[in-house]
Amino acid sequence: MATIAAAEKKIKEFNFLWEGKDKAGKAVKGEMRAAGTVVVTSTLRRQGIRVTKIAKAKAGGKITDKDITLFTRQLATMMKSGVPLLQAFDIVGKGHSNRAVGKLLMDIKSEVETGSSLANAFKKHPLYFDSLFCNLVAAGEAAGILDSLLDRLATYKEKIQAIKGKIKSSCFVIFNCGCVCHYCCNHDIRHPRF
């Protein structure tokens, strides 16, 4: 029994995009997570769909600080306008262009649906949500001011993003000046004298 469970864990699954026709001849398409194309085909055949095309879905990309900042702002705006938390996660997760962010948000949503607090759901993803973020969300939940705290967090993250952008552009300018100086010194370029 333990060896069967261990063998099942080792099977790697991928996302597949598929197109086909249902019993009525209507064109249908969708996405399915499976170990291979044979599994997708057989599963869809059992559902009465004749598959015409299957392709492995491209990876969603990586999640950046900009993605988390945008998500925080969107969540804060929706919470302030009275949208329920789970519905807000649904809207932002399904509407995000980066599939990896959408998957992350759906994972957090499912953790909250099972009874976990929002702060604890964020704590399970420390790569994207630092302790400051999680602790402020926990304080907002406890005090009942989650919407205003998310707004403050979003503003803070936006300011941090702006500062990082200025630092990067400053470093780029300094690097370019250094390159020009190095080139001028090594190639004996002098200023013309009048």
Side-chain angles (χ1 to χ4, degrees):
M1 187 77 166
T3 56
I4 293 172
E8 287 177 2
K9 284 184 181 179
K10 291 182 182 179
I11 297 173
K12 192 168 187 179
E13 292 185 341
F14 304 96
N15 286 335
F16 290 94
L17 299 173
W18 57 267
E19 294 178 13
K21 296 192 179 213
D22 63 5
K23 292 177 182 176
K26 182 182 172 190
V28 290
K29 62 182 178 177
E31 184 175 346
M32 181 180 292
R33 187 160 180 81
T37 57
V38 175
V39 177
V40 174
T41 306
S42 63
T43 304
L44 291 172
R45 191 178 306 133
R46 276 187 247 126
Q47 295 174 4
I49 297 172
R50 186 173 46 87
V51 178
T52 56
K53 183 179 176 183
I54 297 177
K56 197 173 183 182
K58 293 179 183 173
K62 68 177 194 172
I63 300 172
T64 63
D65 284 340
K66 194 178 263 187
D67 292 324
I68 300 300
T69 302
L70 178 64
F71 152 71
T72 307
R73 172 55 65 201
Q74 289 172 331
L75 187 64
T77 303
M78 285 191 214
M79 294 285 293
K80 274 195 175 264
S81 63
V83 176
L85 181 66
L86 294 177
Q87 189 177 352
F89 267 99
D90 217 23
I91 293 167
V92 176
K94 289 180 180 174
H96 208 286
S97 58
N98 186 344
R99 293 161 77 94
V101 174
K103 184 184 179 323
L104 173 70
L105 297 182
M106 290 300 111
D107 289 346
I108 293 170
K109 178 190 170 206
S110 65
E111 289 169 19
V112 172
E113 282 177 325
T114 58
S116 178
S117 71
L118 184 59
N120 287 337
F122 284 142
K123 284 179 185 176
K124 292 181 180 176
H125 304 280
L127 192 61
Y128 310 114
F129 304 103
D130 59 6
S131 59
L132 174 68
F133 191 98
C134 297
N135 291 337
L136 284 173
V137 169
E141 284 179 308
I145 54 168
L146 185 60
D147 56 346
S148 63
L149 238 153
L150 280 171
D151 186 50
R152 287 183 182 182
L153 256 174
T155 303
Y156 166 76
K157 290 188 96 35
E158 288 165 350
K159 286 181 180 178
I160 293 294
Q161 284 293 105
I163 290 169
K164 283 182 180 179
K166 288 178 183 177
I167 290 171
K168 283 181 185 177
S169 64
S170 298
C171 289
F172 182 72
V173 169
I174 292 169
F175 176 75
N176 283 341
C177 289
C179 288
V180 169
C181 289
H182 178 72
Y183 178 80
C184 291
C185 291
N186 286 340
H187 294 288
D188 200 27
I189 297 175
R190 302 187 198 272
H191 297 290
R193 295 186 185 175
F194 297 102

